[in-house]
Structure formats: structure tokens, C-alpha cells
Amino acid sequence: MSNNNFLHMYQTLVSIPSISALDDKLNQSNKLVIDNLATWCQTLGFECEITELNNAPKKYNLLARLTPQEQQVEHTNVKGGLMLAGHTDTVPFDDKQWSLNPFALTQKNNKLYGLGAIDMKGFFAFILDVLQGLDLKNLKQPLIILATADEETTMAGAQQICQHKNLKPARCIIGEPTDMIPVFTHKGHMSNAIRITGKSGHSSAPDSGLNAIEIMHLVIEKLLVLKQTLKNKYSDKHFKIPYPTLNLGHIHGGDNANRICGCCELHIDLRPLPGISVKELQAILLAAVSDITKQYPNTVEVIDLHDPIPAFKGATDSSLVQLAEKISGEKAIAVNYCTEAPFIQQLGCETIIMGPGSINQAHQPDEYLAMEKIKPTQEIIRKIILESCF
């Protein structure tokens, strides 16, 4: 693996487009990223399992496992040890907003620029570079690398891997950009469309139709009350924004000023706290608009725009949190964004989010990693692997 130094692997991963999008015109396979990772892992002695997703054709997960010699009799059933996990897809990008080539790892102003530089292809370059400097023959506990697909849209890769029957790591670190600060809990994510189907007609005869915009006005009033109710009723002191948030993000309806609007649709974003289940929040949302649905039967629909992502909560006193705090020198925190953690956690492992780069650069034009962070990040990853597996 002499040619596969840190920057070479970093550049290779960034150079391969692997965008996830709900728009088929933008959506891309991640297979070439997975193939490169598998090749590098195999060179280090990992046994690799590449799986196409059941619900997302041309999207793939990689499970790379390195097992101590004494545990290799039952190599398909991996228990214990450490799993290092991340996703291989990126968000779409606006070419007009980028000043640099998003598919080239550009060194400039002591920064590494590129799409996926910190969200989160770069994490795999860090892992593999660190592993090249370790004597893997002395491994005492299993070491697993998980690379998933479609995190940026459906999280289908993580949802599929959590059903794996022969995967039972003791610990998992998901390398999303946290500036190497351990994250032990985060909010969930729900996106809903509220669709009003009225009856169109000529504006000069208002009673001949049913104006969807007017009904949506009533719905929005209810949602603003719900927004305040969530703020008043629920609180978690670990979060900077300690309550569930509700955002009215996008609305469209109607086609002409002199026409009664026959259809209006509003897209909202809900971020549940740990302890509030997705089903509970869905029921709260439906209850908020129930009076309107009774007043206007068969007019109001509440639709999931994607499968809801539950909140994630780990234990602050877990051995992994304590180890990460000790090695990083940072106290574990809560964050408002969401990750694959609630699905990975279903494998039964202690789970945290902790990776290179700042979340402030994620999903931004000219995404970058500050180069002064490289050596400290490599050292933290190295120490965690040594403590967990050697």
C-alpha cells in the first residue's frame, strides 16, 4: 500500500462523484467509491463484503472486517471490538457557488477543499492512513470499517446494515464532522408535506370553488400554535436549542391571480428530541390539524417526504464516551442535526459521532478541512483504535 498515502486516498475519494438525491437526474451510484475502499482494505488484510441495497439499486454498502487470529474460526460472526463507520455519498452541489473544482482535492490557504472533504469521505482516508502505521498482526479485538450509501437522502444503507445478523461490535464511531468532539446524542428529523386539495374555479365566483390557499392559511395558524406548544412542553438541557423545532420551509400553490387555487402544498421540518418517538410526533402533528380535516373532509393530507429519522441518545457514562473524552480532551456534547447513529445503535453497540472537520462546512460551497487539524485527528483516531482493539 506504499502508493496509497493519505493525500492520494483523500484525492481519489473526492474525485469520484457519488451524489445522493431524490431527483433521479442528480442521483448517482457510489459503487466506485466502495470498490476503492474495498481494495485498500483488502491490502491491509480485511475481509470485505459488498452488498447492493435492497431498496436502492446501484447503491452499495461495504463491510470490511479484520479479526484476530484466535477468533477467525467463526469469521462470519464478528462480535466485540470497534467499528468505524461513515457514508460514501455527498449532497448535490451548485457549480455557480463553488470557486474550486468540487471533484478535485485542492490545497489552498492551508485548507483541503473538495466535495465530501469533511462530509464525509475524508474520514476513510484518515482511518486507512492510521491503519497503515499499525502492526495489525497484534490485533486483540475485531476492527470493522463500515461504508454506507444514501445517508444524505433516505439513510437506506444504515437501515439495511442494522439488520445484519452476524455483526455485533462492542463500539462504533461514526466519523461525521464534529471537529473530533464526541457527540453522544442528537435530534431526529422528519420532513412532511401538508397538501390541501380544494376546487378550482373562476375568481369572480368564489362560492363555485374551494380555495386551497385559504384552507392552508388555517393550517399554518394551527402549526404556529403547535410550534410554540412544542417549545413550551418539551426540553432537554443538553441541547443548545433545547426543544423540538418546527420549520415552515417551502410552500407553493395556485397558478393565476384570477383563478381559485385548487391545490396548495406546504413542506415542514420537525426535529424531535430524544424521548419523543417518531410515532408520537406524527400523532401530535395530525392532531394539530384535525379540526380542519373534520371541517373540510378529504381535503387535507399529511405526507412523509422521507422515512422519519429517530433521535439518537447514548449514555454519557459509557466506556466509549469516557474513552473519547479522555483522548480528545473534549466533553461529549449534543447536536441538533441527525446522523445514522440511531440505526447503527440497533446493532447493540456503544455509539458516538466523532470525526474530522467542522459541521459548519458541511453542505456548503467550497467545503474544506483545515490542514492544521490533520495530525491531531490522526493521533486521536490512532489512540482510540489502539485502546479498543490492541
Side-chain angles (χ1 to χ4, degrees):
M1 213 167 168
S2 58
N3 187 42
N4 292 325
N5 61 39
F6 177 69
L7 291 179
H8 167 77
M9 290 185 289
Y10 218 133
Q11 165 63 40
T12 301
L13 295 172
V14 168
S15 71
I16 304 168
S18 57
I19 291 169
S20 284
L22 298 177
D23 184 345
D24 288 340
K25 294 178 181 178
L26 299 175
N27 199 30
Q28 298 172 325
S29 174
N30 68 326
K31 184 62 162 55
L32 190 54
V33 177
I34 290 291
D35 287 344
N36 274 274
L37 289 174
T39 297
W40 296 332
C41 287
Q42 287 169 341
T43 304
L44 288 169
F46 283 77
E47 180 181 345
C48 293
E49 175 186 330
I50 297 175
T51 307
E52 187 172 13
L53 301 189
N54 297 328
N55 298 323
K58 299 182 180 179
K59 301 297 182 85
Y60 297 83
N61 283 345
L62 166 67
L63 190 61
R65 295 177 278 198
L66 188 62
T67 310
Q69 291 289 333
E70 59 270 21
Q71 297 182 26
Q72 289 182 0
V73 176
E74 190 74 27
H75 64 273
T76 58
N77 192 4
V78 178
K79 294 182 179 180
L82 174 67
M83 183 163 73
L84 301 168
H87 62 84
T88 57
D89 57 322
T90 70
V91 292
F93 68 97
D94 185 345
D95 195 42
K96 295 178 182 178
Q97 296 292 320
W98 277 73
S99 65
L100 302 163
N101 181 355
F103 298 112
L105 188 69
T106 304
Q107 296 185 51
K108 183 179 179 181
N109 300 325
N110 204 34
K111 298 172 182 175
L112 292 176
Y113 293 90
L115 183 62
I118 52 97
D119 188 22
M120 56 168 294
K121 292 177 177 179
F123 182 58
F124 295 108
F126 275 99
I127 295 169
L128 291 163
D129 185 68
V130 167
L131 291 179
Q132 288 181 96
L134 299 179
D135 186 354
L136 298 178
K137 293 180 181 178
N138 291 327
L139 199 69
K140 302 299 182 185
Q141 293 292 330
L143 180 59
I144 305 158
I145 297 174
L146 171 65
T148 62
D150 269 18
E151 187 272 349
E152 299 290 4
T153 51
T154 65
M155 296 205 181
Q159 293 192 59
Q160 182 162 316
I161 201 68
C162 74
Q163 305 298 321
H164 202 292
K165 295 180 180 179
N166 297 319
L167 183 61
K168 301 293 180 184
R171 296 171 170 176
C172 178
I173 296 175
I174 301 172
E176 293 277 8
T178 70
D179 271 332
M180 297 308 290
I181 299 171
V183 170
F184 77 95
T185 185
H186 64 61
K187 293 181 180 180
H189 183 216
M190 294 169 54
S191 292
N192 296 91
I194 300 177
R195 183 178 299 154
I196 309 298
T197 304
K199 182 182 178 183
S200 61
H202 199 281
S203 62
S204 63
D207 291 341
S208 68
L210 183 61
N211 196 309
I213 292 177
E214 293 181 7
I215 298 174
M216 184 63 81
H217 174 73
L218 301 176
V219 169
I220 289 175
E221 285 183 335
K222 296 289 187 180
L223 292 177
L224 292 178
V225 172
L226 174 59
K227 180 179 181 178
Q228 191 62 40
T229 299
L230 293 172
K231 184 175 181 179
N232 295 338
K233 185 176 180 180
Y234 300 99
S235 181
D236 188 326
K237 65 181 181 180
H238 292 109
F239 293 89
K240 288 183 179 179
I241 302 172
Y243 51 86
T245 55
L246 190 161
N247 180 61
L248 311 183
H250 172 68
I251 190 169
H252 59 276
D255 51 21
N256 209 352
N258 64 0
R259 183 175 171 85
I260 297 170
C261 174
C263 186
C264 184
E265 187 165 299
L266 170 68
H267 293 181
I268 65 173
D269 173 289
L270 282 158
R271 302 275 172 160
L273 290 169
I276 306 175
S277 71
V278 166
K279 288 185 178 180
E280 180 183 355
L281 199 52
Q282 287 173 325
I284 291 171
L285 177 59
L286 290 173
V289 299
S290 61
D291 289 347
I292 302 170
T293 58
K294 291 175 184 177
Q295 185 178 356
Y296 299 98
N298 304 316
T299 299
V300 183
E301 292 180 90
V302 180
I303 305 160
D304 289 337
L305 291 173
H306 60 73
D307 289 339
I309 310 301
F312 158 70
K313 187 172 184 178
T316 54
D317 60 352
S318 74
S319 64
L320 179 56
V321 168
Q322 292 178 345
L323 175 63
E325 288 180 335
K326 174 186 173 183
I327 292 176
S328 68
E330 300 281 356
K331 192 75 175 173
I333 61 170
V335 295
N336 295 313
Y337 55 85
C338 65
T339 74
E340 297 171 313
F343 302 110
I344 300 295
Q345 189 182 40
Q346 293 177 33
L347 293 170
C349 48
E350 294 182 2
T351 304
I352 62 170
I353 303 98
M354 184 180 184
S358 168
I359 193 65
N360 294 328
Q361 273 73 58
H363 300 192
Q364 297 297 318
D366 293 340
E367 177 184 341
Y368 70 84
L369 172 75
M371 292 185 70
E372 67 266 20
K373 301 285 189 178
I374 292 175
K375 287 186 177 180
T377 297
Q378 290 170 327
E379 186 60 16
I380 290 171
I381 292 173
R382 187 183 71 84
K383 287 180 178 179
I384 288 177
I385 293 173
L386 287 173
E387 289 280 350
S388 298
C389 300
F390 285 83

